[in-house]
Amino acid sequence: MSYLTSDQLLAKLRREVKEITVHQLAEQLERGEVTLVDIREQGEWDQGHIKGAAFIPRGYLELQIETRAPDRTKPVAVICAGGVRSLLGARDLETMGYQDVVSVAGGFNGWKKAGYAFEVPRTLNSEQRARYSRHTIMPEVGEEGQLKLLDAKVLLIGAGGLGSPAAIYLAAAGVGTIGLVDFDVVDTSNLQRQIIHRLDSVDKPKVESAAQTIGQLNPDVKVVGHRTQLTSQNAFDIISQYDLVINGSDNFPTRYLVNDACVLLGKPLVDASIFRFEGQVTVYDTAQGSPCYRCLYPDPPPPGEVPSCAEGGVLGVLPGIIGSLEAVEAIKLILGIGDPLVGRLLTYEALDGEFRELRITKNDDCPVCGDHPSVTQLIDYHQFCGIPSTEPVSVNGSLHPIAA
C-alpha cells in the first residue's frame, strides 16, 4: 500500500481543486458573484477578516456550510490564512455536491499583502466566549449576534409574573441593558410565580430585588430600575431610551398607555397576558406595518367585568412559560432572525396542553396606528378605561384578562 506525503497531497489537490488569486476574489466580491467562506480559527478571525465573509472554522465546515450556502449550484470561495487549509475545505465541499468551489491562493495573508481592505472586529472576551458558547456555536447567532445582544436595551414593564422569567432569560442570554419599570414591593404572595424574587426580598422594591438577582446571574448586564408608575407624563422619556419593550403589566390603563407610546415612538412591543390556566403572547411592530394592541382590543371592558388574578388566581408556572416566550420573541427581534409573532397571537391553555395561533389583522381605522390616527399624543388612560385617576395602578405582571 502506498501513502501520500503532505506535500504530495497538496500537489494533488492543486491539480484537482480550482484556485483563484486574491485579485480575482476582490473582483468577484465586488460584483456579488461569490459566497466567501473563511475557515480560519477564532483567534485568526479576530485579528481581521474580509467584510461579508461567512465565518466557519475548519472543524465545523461540513456541519455548518448548508446554513451559509444552501444552494450547491452557486459559487463558493474558501479562504484560510495561506491557501492550504482552503484546498482541503474546497475538496470536501466538492464531495458534498457543491458544483462551483474554489480555493483562494495565498489566503487572507495574501489579501492583506495586496493592500485590500479588511475588518478588525469587536470581539467577545474569553470569559464571554465561555459563557455564551452555546449561543455562538449556532450560525443564527454567532459572535456577531451575541455582540448585538450585549448592545441591546430592553425595557420590561413590570417585574412580576411575566417580567420575572423574561428578565432572567434576557439576562442569561446577555442582553446588555435591561430596564425595569415597577413601583411595587415584593409580597409573600408574589413568590408563587414571580421567580426573580426571593424570601429575603419581601417588602423590598421589586426593581431592587430583580436587579440583585440579575447581578448574581450575569455581570455583563446593566439593570436600570425605574421605580415609578408609568404615566402619560413619563412614558416617552422612559421608553425612548430602549430598543424594544416587553409588556408584563396587569391592568388596562397601562396596557393601552404602553401600546400607544410604542406606536408613537416606533418601538417594537412584545405583549403577553395570563389568567388562571391561560396565556397569550404576540408582537406589535407598527413601524413595520403590523397591527397594534388597539387593533385587537379597540376598547377596554367595563370596570369590574374582568376578574383579577387576586380574585380568579393563576397557575404559578404559567407566567414562566409565557414570560419565557416573550424573551424568545425579544431575542429574535434583536438578532433579526426567525419569524417573530407579528400579526399572530399565540395562545396557550395549560389544562389541555394546547397551543393555538390566531391571525391578527391591522385595522386601517385604528385611532393610533391606522391610516388617519386621531390619537397623536398620550391621553388620560384611567379616564379612557373608566377608572378614577386617583386609583393606584400596579404593574406587577400578575394579571391580564384573556377575554379582554
Side-chain angles (χ1 to χ4, degrees), residues 45-94:
W45 172 267
D46 292 346
Q47 294 174 17
H49 58 260
I50 300 170
K51 183 178 181 180
F55 175 50
I56 309 177
R58 177 68 186 90
Y60 295 96
L61 178 62
E62 294 82 3
L63 299 175
Q64 297 184 5
I65 184 62
E66 292 170 310
T67 65
R68 304 300 184 91
D71 189 342
R72 285 172 165 77
T73 65
K74 292 186 176 180
V76 174
V78 183
I79 192 169
C80 63
V84 175
R85 284 171 289 173
S86 57
L87 285 168
L88 296 165
R91 177 202 61 184
D92 289 351
L93 294 188
E94 287 182 344

Side-chain angles (χ1 to χ4, degrees), residues 59-352:
Y60 295 96
L61 178 62
E62 294 82 3
L63 299 175
Q64 297 184 5
I65 184 62
E66 292 170 310
T67 65
R68 304 300 184 91
D71 189 342
R72 285 172 165 77
T73 65
K74 292 186 176 180
V76 174
V78 183
I79 192 169
C80 63
V84 175
R85 284 171 289 173
S86 57
L87 285 168
L88 296 165
R91 177 202 61 184
D92 289 351
L93 294 188
E94 287 182 344
T95 302
M96 291 178 66
Y98 283 86
Q99 300 173 19
D100 189 358
V101 185
V102 297
S103 170
V104 181
F108 182 70
N109 293 335
W111 177 273
K112 287 197 299 182
K113 289 178 181 178
Y116 290 113
F118 61 92
E119 297 181 337
V120 178
R122 173 184 161 217
T123 62
L124 301 174
N125 60 40
S126 58
E127 183 178 335
Q128 290 171 329
R129 286 211 176 103
R131 176 182 287 272
Y132 305 118
S133 61
R134 300 305 187 272
H135 268 177
T136 56
I137 200 173
M138 294 191 295
E140 296 84 354
V141 182
E143 187 157 329
E144 182 180 352
Q146 190 60 54
L147 289 168
K148 287 182 181 179
L149 291 171
L150 287 165
D151 289 339
K153 298 179 179 180
V154 177
L155 179 67
L156 284 85
I157 310 298
L162 293 170
S164 288
I168 285 175
Y169 273 109
L170 291 178
V175 170
T177 302
I178 296 177
L180 298 170
V181 178
D182 202 309
F183 67 89
D184 204 358
V185 297
V186 180
D187 183 81
T188 303
S189 65
N190 301 149
L191 303 180
Q192 168 251 13
R193 63 201 176 281
Q194 299 181 18
I195 58 172
I196 205 166
H197 308 299
R198 301 291 182 267
L199 190 59
D200 60 5
S201 295
V202 170
D203 295 331
K204 292 182 181 179
K206 287 186 178 179
V207 293
E208 293 180 13
S209 170
Q212 182 178 0
T213 300
I214 291 172
Q216 293 172 343
L217 176 63
N218 191 346
D220 287 338
V221 179
K222 175 185 177 183
V223 179
V224 181
H226 303 275
R227 195 186 175 200
T228 183
Q229 177 180 327
L230 197 70
T231 67
S232 297
Q233 287 70 45
N234 63 19
F236 280 163
D237 289 339
I238 294 175
I239 292 174
S240 63
Q241 302 174 45
Y242 297 89
D243 303 318
L244 63 92
V245 178
I246 294 180
N247 196 2
S249 62
D250 68 350
N251 62 84
F252 288 105
T254 304
R255 299 187 76 82
Y256 282 98
L257 167 60
V258 171
N259 174 78
D260 294 359
C262 286
V263 172
L264 295 174
L265 290 172
K267 302 286 186 179
L269 171 61
V270 181
D271 189 81
S273 57
I274 51 173
F275 182 68
R276 291 178 59 81
F277 298 98
E278 301 175 51
Q280 60 186 34
V281 61
T282 188
V283 174
Y284 303 118
D285 191 359
T286 55
Q288 304 301 321
S290 89
C292 77
Y293 182 75
R294 284 185 186 249
C295 294
L296 184 59
Y297 304 117
D299 300 299
E305 181 176 291
V306 179
S308 69
C309 283
E311 297 167 324
V314 61
L315 183 67
V317 72
L318 179 66
I321 297 168
I322 304 302
S324 295
L325 288 173
E326 286 191 285
V328 169
E329 293 303 307
I331 289 172
K332 286 160 58 179
L333 290 170
I334 293 167
L335 297 178
I337 62 173
D339 187 12
L341 288 171
V342 175
R344 298 182 291 146
L345 181 71
L346 184 66
T347 68
Y348 174 64
E349 215 296 324
L351 287 181
D352 296 333

Side-chain angles (χ1 to χ4, degrees), residues 370-401:
D371 295 336
H372 305 286
S374 58
V375 177
T376 57
Q377 59 185 2
L378 301 181
I379 62 174
D380 184 335
Y381 291 91
H382 291 80
Q383 183 182 54
F384 173 69
C385 295
I387 299 174
S389 296
T390 55
E391 182 174 328
V393 179
S394 170
V395 288
N396 65 16
S398 60
L399 77 96
H400 176 79

